[in-house]
Amino acid sequence: MLPDVDEAAFETILKFIYMDEVPTMKGCDDDAEKARLNLLTANRFGCTDLKLYMESILIEKFLVPSTVAGMLLLADSHSCALLKEATMNMYASNDWTKLKESNDLLVELLVYATSSRKKYSSVVDDGNGTIDDVDDFDVTSLRERLQQQNVDLDLDGSREILVERWKNYL
């Protein structure tokens, strides 16, 4: 047994090398993880043909908008050029290019995605929080808090507007 090596993925490598057996993937979530593990193991042991094959399988069967970010990170950290190119193409083709029309929105998205802002659930055990906590509430939390107060406050608007309403209420 090798430390930090998935046994099934290692077995796949052995079958690929010695029996010329190509792994089959059906397209389910379990297979996506198997494909990822096969790619990582093939990369670790220098089995380039299997690594490249698993890259193509990940692209063909598992690359969808909901997986693109994770696959981009995987591709970048393990020198998977084909997978990296495919993920970047998916980002570019899925309305990401429209964001360049609004530099402010693009900056806001990047700040939001990289912030270490604490995310609150809709229901917080310690009640409504303090005025210092309000900047960290998510939109659902803000709306629910405003609605629970039975005051005539509009629940529509940007996150910033809802934060300001809550601060004024407190």
Side-chain angles (χ1 to χ4, degrees), residues 32-45:
E33 180 60 14
K34 287 178 189 174
R36 188 185 73 76
L37 288 171
N38 287 343
L39 182 141
L40 293 174
T41 306
N43 186 50
R44 180 173 177 184
F45 290 100

Side-chain angles (χ1 to χ4, degrees), residues 153-164:
L153 293 173
D154 190 4
L155 302 178
D156 194 15
S158 68
R159 188 182 168 285
E160 290 75 19
I161 290 171
L162 295 173
V163 166
E164 196 58 38

Side-chain angles (χ1 to χ4, degrees), residues 45-64:
F45 290 100
C47 187
T48 305
D49 289 342
L50 181 59
K51 176 187 175 186
L52 297 177
Y53 175 76
M54 296 316 302
E55 270 189 87
S56 68
I57 291 296
L58 284 168
I59 293 165
E60 179 185 321
K61 297 190 183 229
F62 306 107
L63 184 59
V64 294

Side-chain angles (χ1 to χ4, degrees), residues 2 13-14 34 45 84-85 90 93 101-102 104 106 112 120 135 160:
L2 298 168
I13 286 178
L14 293 176
K34 287 178 189 174
F45 290 100
K84 186 173 183 178
E85 181 179 76
M90 183 170 280
S93 68
E101 295 173 13
S102 172
D104 292 339
L106 188 55
Y112 179 82
Y120 280 74
D135 291 324
E160 290 75 19

Side-chain angles (χ1 to χ4, degrees), residues 53-161:
Y53 175 76
M54 296 316 302
E55 270 189 87
S56 68
I57 291 296
L58 284 168
I59 293 165
E60 179 185 321
K61 297 190 183 229
F62 306 107
L63 184 59
V64 294
S66 63
T67 64
V68 73
M71 288 209 194
L72 178 57
L73 291 170
L74 173 71
D76 187 54
S77 57
H78 294 285
S79 300
C80 301
L82 183 67
L83 183 58
K84 186 173 183 178
E85 181 179 76
T87 56
M88 293 180 84
N89 284 338
M90 183 170 280
Y91 265 119
S93 68
N94 278 313
D95 296 327
W96 285 96
T97 55
K98 292 179 184 176
L99 288 178
K100 69 182 175 187
E101 295 173 13
S102 172
N103 289 335
D104 292 339
L105 181 58
L106 188 55
V107 168
E108 184 180 346
L109 176 63
L110 290 172
V111 167
Y112 179 82
T114 59
S115 74
S116 60
R117 186 165 55 102
K118 184 176 179 182
K119 305 281 192 292
Y120 280 74
S121 64
S122 294
V123 179
V124 177
D125 292 336
D126 65 352
N128 292 326
T130 67
I131 201 157
D132 295 329
D133 297 330
V134 174
D135 291 324
D136 294 328
F137 288 164
D138 62 14
V139 171
T140 302
S141 298
L142 288 163
R143 286 184 176 155
E144 286 184 358
R145 284 171 172 77
L146 289 167
Q147 189 175 27
Q148 286 174 356
Q149 300 311 312
N150 292 325
V151 292
D152 193 23
L153 293 173
D154 190 4
L155 302 178
D156 194 15
S158 68
R159 188 182 168 285
E160 290 75 19
I161 290 171

